[in-house]
Amino acid sequence: MNTDILWNLIAPLIVIQLILAVVGLISLYKAESTRGPKWLWVIIILCGNLLGSVAYFVVGRKDAS
């Protein structure tokens, strides 16, 4: 059984996930209002991995109108 981890494939995904999470949390902190409670979006961003951050940017943010 081969247990070698292909870090050259996994590392970019981990970096993208961390960048999206940090940018999402900063955006959430600066937002005056969101669709849903902010504490719930923090949990979704942190526990939802890559999809949690994307969900916040697509669904959670309200337009600044």
Side-chain angles (χ1 to χ4, degrees):
M1 185 166 148
N2 188 359
T3 58
D4 293 335
I5 297 176
L6 299 174
W7 286 108
N8 56 347
L9 296 176
I10 295 174
L13 290 175
I14 293 171
V15 170
I16 291 171
Q17 177 180 339
L18 289 173
I19 291 171
L20 274 175
V22 169
V23 171
L25 290 172
I26 291 171
S27 174
L28 180 64
Y29 177 75
K30 291 181 178 182
E32 291 183 17
S33 63
T34 60
R35 293 187 176 112
K38 283 189 175 187
W39 62 267
L40 182 61
W41 282 114
V42 169
I43 293 171
I44 291 171
I45 290 171
L46 293 177
C47 297
N49 295 330
L50 195 60
L51 294 178
S53 299
V54 172
Y56 168 69
F57 285 115
V58 172
V59 178
R61 293 186 348 171
K62 283 189 175 180
D63 293 334
S65 53

